[in-house]
Structure formats: structure tokens, C-alpha cells
Amino acid sequence: MPLTITVVRHGQSESNLAFEEAFHAGRAVVLGRPDSEVGLTPLGREQATRLGRHLAAGDPPELVLCSPYLRTVRTWELVAAELDAAPEVRLEPRLRDHDMGRWSGMNALALKERFPDESENLIARLYGGFRPPEGESFPDLAARIREVVEELRTGHTDRRILVVAHDSVVLMFKHVIEGVPIDSVEASGPVGNASVSVWRDSKPEIFNETGHLRG
């Protein structure tokens, strides 16, 4: 197993902000672009810079695996600007966010309006294996994260690994590394923007830490 696996979530994204505002206003939202092209807000960029300073104060990563989505790539670029060392960096498609298929970009109210029967108890159904049209279930997501973890276990022992990804990916790392049942891992969230979770020698050290964003 790698010496440490540190998994961070991207800073606040434009979709995070749009969904939060829609939630408080009680309105449906459908984003007008692919999920992979959603960028960071000004707050998200600030969070990523603070995250970089926090990581720079510890042991620098030797290998960085980053989701190819725009918001994660931008987060990594801002983190990297704060680091003294230049680690090996790989874009890893298996670290992309949970794929909602044709339902991507819709908040809960939009889904309820368009698919009132299918979207009932959606989160529980996704953990139970339900796949949205052309999308994936959480067990599907867990399977691709398990592949990544197994490759790290066998090919990158005694290295410091940094993963830059999404909230659902953070939860699946917890599921795979710690063996937390998939139908209960959601209780570990919500995973904060620019949060840090660390597993050292396969054991949890910190999870969903955001103290570095304050002050």
C-alpha cells in the first residue's frame, strides 16, 4: 500500500453554487453544459489556493492522480502553484464524478418535476444499484475506484499519493479502503469543497477535514 493516500475534493464549483442557490429559492435547475466543463467559482479558486498552502506545509505528494473534469484540473493547478516540488501528475478518467447520464446537470427539484416516479428515494436507489438512463449506480462508481486503489496497492508502495477528485469519489475511497458498507458510506458525508481525507498504511488518519479553509 502507498505510505499515504490523500484525497481532496475540488473547490466550490459553478454547479455547487447554482444548486445551493436553487435549493434556498426552491426552484428547479438544469445546467446548460456538460458536467465535465463546469469550472470553479471565485470562492472555489480561493479554497483551492488555501488547500495548496495546507498541503505545502506537510509532506509533498510524489504522484498526483487528478480527475479530468475542469473543476478538478483547475483545483490542482491552484494547489500546484503553492507547492515547492513538482510531482508526477496523471489525469485519471476513473476518478471522474458519479455519472448521472441523461439526468446530469439537474438538481433534485428538476428531477422530481421531470421524473416524479423514477426519482423517488433516488440516493438510496443509486446506492442500491439503480442506474439513471445512460448513467451509473454507486456500485458502478465503487468498481472503478476499487481498480484505482488496487493499482496503487500493487504498483506504488511507500509513495505519497494525492488524488484530486469529487465528493462521491472521496466516499468511494472510504468504502474501498476501510470496507465501510456502500449502503452506509453516505452517512460519512457531506464531503466539503477543498476538504482533505488521508489514509496512512491503509488506516484512516483524517476524513473530510476543512479547518485549513478558515481564518
Side-chain angles (χ1 to χ4, degrees):
M1 194 67 181
L3 177 63
T4 57
I5 297 179
T6 300
V7 186
V8 301
R9 187 188 180 194
H10 57 78
Q12 184 191 60
S13 71
E14 294 161 337
S15 58
N16 293 154
L17 180 59
F19 287 171
E20 181 179 349
E21 292 176 343
F23 174 79
H24 291 298
R27 58 182 172 83
V29 169
V30 180
L31 299 179
R33 54 183 150 165
D35 189 33
S36 61
E37 297 177 8
V38 172
L40 297 177
T41 65
L43 174 59
R45 293 192 289 273
E46 178 182 342
Q47 289 172 332
T49 296
R50 287 178 179 266
L51 173 61
R53 292 171 183 164
H54 173 70
L55 295 175
D59 294 328
E62 297 170 296
L63 172 64
V64 177
L65 301 179
C66 185
S67 159
Y69 282 19
L70 179 61
R71 56 189 178 275
T72 44
V73 172
R74 292 290 180 262
T75 296
W76 162 243
E77 290 172 345
L78 290 163
V79 167
E82 302 298 321
L83 303 180
D84 293 329
E88 178 186 357
V89 181
R90 301 180 192 171
L91 293 183
E92 175 50 75
R94 290 172 295 181
L95 296 175
R96 67 191 183 277
D97 205 356
H98 176 240
D99 186 356
M100 289 291 286
R102 285 189 284 166
W103 292 6
S104 180
M106 300 184 194
N107 72 346
L109 186 54
L111 287 170
K112 186 175 181 179
E113 289 179 353
R114 289 163 173 76
F115 313 101
D117 296 327
E118 294 179 274
S119 62
E120 189 72 22
N121 299 318
L122 179 58
I123 297 300
R125 294 177 68 207
L126 288 168
Y127 277 102
F130 170 73
R131 295 185 179 102
E134 300 178 16
E136 64 180 354
S137 68
F138 279 110
D140 294 329
L141 170 58
R144 53 181 166 90
I145 299 308
R146 186 172 290 106
E147 287 182 358
V148 173
V149 171
E150 287 304 315
E151 289 176 11
L152 292 177
R153 280 176 170 154
T154 58
H156 298 281
T157 57
D158 298 324
R159 298 188 77 187
R160 295 184 298 274
I161 311 296
L162 175 64
V163 173
V164 185
H166 310 267
D167 54 349
S168 60
V169 171
V170 176
L171 291 174
M172 290 305 108
F173 266 87
K174 186 174 184 68
H175 162 64
V176 171
I177 295 176
E178 298 181 37
V180 176
I182 196 167
D183 58 356
S184 62
V185 72
E186 185 194 5
S188 304
V191 178
N193 289 118
S195 63
V196 177
S197 300
V198 180
W199 290 269
R200 186 180 299 273
D201 296 325
S202 298
K203 299 177 181 178
E205 186 168 280
I206 61 172
F207 184 76
N208 197 19
E209 174 60 46
T210 58
H212 51 280
L213 301 179
R214 296 190 288 271

